[in-house]
Amino acid sequence: MALEGFRGSTSSLLDKELNPKSATSIIDQEVEDVKAYIRALWKRRNTFAPVSRLPPEILSRIFDIVRDRVVSGFSYRPLEWTRVGHVCHQWRQVALNSPCLWAKPALSHKLWTEEMLQRSRMASLTISANFKSTISGRRDSLTASLALATPHASRIKMLELVSEYPSRDSLQNFLSQIPQSMPRLECLIVNYDSIAGINSAEGGLSIVHVLEADRLYRLELTRCAVNWDSQIFGPKLVHLKLVSIPVAARPTALQFLEALSRAPALETIELRDSLPLKRHSGHTSTPSKIFFHNLRCLAMTASNTEADNFFNLVSFPASTVVRLICKGETTAEDQFRDVLAHASGFSSATGSDPGFKIRTLEVQIQYPSNGHLNQFRTFSSVASDIDVALGTAAPNLDLVLQTNERPSRQLVQLFCNAMPLTNLVRLSLRNVTFLSPVALAETFGVLPNLRSVSVFGDFAYNFVLALQEVRPINTASTKAEVIPLYFHSVRSISLSNVTFDDNDLTFEMLQDCLMWRYECGAEIRELKLTECSRLEWDSVELLREIVVNVDWDEIESGFTESECEDDAIWDADSYDDYGAGYYDTDDEADLYGLFW
């Protein structure tokens, strides 16, 4: 065997007169030779393993996946993936000869950052520094790692910097040293979180010296000052997000218009408190209005004036999903008239885009601490409550009008008058308690194609009264003269979280309303009752005598203990000792099979 030579040489030492130190040295050398021989055997053995037959390119790609899963999994050991280089000699060689594998330095470990920057050679880098999620003891290492990455800034492909006030100077120092031209940069995300408001003297972070990034397709800036005349707004820009740009750093309307004109391929735009404060005069060679053919999603938070200015500069296809939070600036009811005029055109056909018809409308009023939110959501499909709750149906327009005054009927009517609701099929109302039955009937009860209405909470009382409102004969059509009712086309209603008691909507009121509409020829054919309090089985059975399809969740709640005990006593009195009920005649008992 191959080891016999080693054994022989070792035994021959006994025949030689050697001092212990020399003998030990010779034996140690032979041990190392044996270990090297064993390693060579293991290496030969590994060549027959199936995984060893994978091409280096495939193996390197697997290492990339392992690294990405560890890094994106918020692991406490972000360098754990480097163990792939400790498995065998082949794997280590593949890892060391894969520059892209080391192109995402672990900035929280300075020594590893330096080593990975060297191993990445000339590969494009991903630099991600999050001072907010890094513990205070690691922030110095993060700052030092950024300094090590500065000489390699020209090969940065993705740069993501998240900071807050204590780390502002370190981050600003890094940004000020990166070159003006970054030819490989594709994604730039700078998020500076500060307790100072956008009107404060503190201007956030500055990246005004970055002038060229021809390959940039994603730009996200929070509380940053940017050079609006630079080429970072380029033809390849697809995603743009600007949040809380300080007032002093905001562009003029002309700068904003020209910056957007250089990025015609935008697909998503998110603007929150970042728009120009003054209206564009229009005296420029730049087109007065930019049309974004590829825009899929527009999200915006702005004042009423800022939003109006933006829509005077920009247009987009009707297929674009628009989410707009518009902040009122005055107490006037018609302050949103111009914004609503723009919103009414979002669904209109433009060129080859056929537009869409509003089939579903959801109106919801919220009362946060900073004002009142009037939310209107329109859908091009007939979306059910479940579809909306699960998000399987996305609104084409999600409009929130924020006011300091309490919601009023005029604001809802202003929206309904501005929007094309002729084809509306389904209506959902939440917390619109300020709408009286007459206002509700006059606002929504005249829609010709409305088939289904969902109501939530105590507002059901006003809605039931509105279902009984009679339209004026002199303004009604020939058909309405026979059935002079509002909501004459409604055939399905849904009541959720409604309490039936004497202080609000009673069961008798609902029963009388359904019966009256049935007698008038405008019957409700489908009634859905969900999570309603103080509603009993017997009462629902009475409703089924009027409505063809009653869908009830069979939850009886809201009753006091004494009421439950009374029902239990009544049920016990209805049966004899053998469990058979009492009946007036033997024929009635025989009908239910009690005699056999």
Side-chain angles (χ1 to χ4, degrees), residues 8 16 23 45 56 62 65 74 135 169-170 176 197 231 233 273 280 343 355 377 392 418 489 522 537 551 593:
K16 298 180 180 179
R45 183 180 186 276
I62 294 174
I65 296 174
F74 302 99
I135 59 177
D169 294 339
S170 300
S176 62
Q231 295 302 315
F233 299 94
D273 299 321
H280 173 51
R377 304 208 300 171
T392 55
S489 60
W537 184 279
D551 184 5

Side-chain angles (χ1 to χ4, degrees), residues 192 194 196-199 203-204 221-225 241-247 249-250 270-275 301:
Y192 174 55
S194 173
I198 59 177
N199 295 310
L221 303 176
T222 300
R223 288 194 58 80
C224 294
K241 179 179 179 180
L242 303 175
V243 179
S244 300
I245 302 299
V247 172
R250 292 195 191 184
E270 183 176 351
L271 305 171
R272 298 203 312 244
D273 299 321
S274 304
L275 292 172
T301 300

Side-chain angles (χ1 to χ4, degrees), residues 279 289 300 304-316 322 324 336-348 397 399 418-420:
R279 186 182 298 273
K289 205 164 189 177
M300 193 164 63
N304 185 36
T305 302
E306 293 168 358
D308 182 33
N309 294 343
F310 177 81
F311 292 123
N312 285 327
L313 302 176
V314 170
S315 61
F316 39 82
V322 180
L324 171 61
F336 299 106
R337 188 179 301 277
D338 292 337
V339 172
L340 290 174
H342 291 297
S344 65
F346 293 166
S347 61
S348 303
L397 170 63
L399 175 62
M419 302 300 292

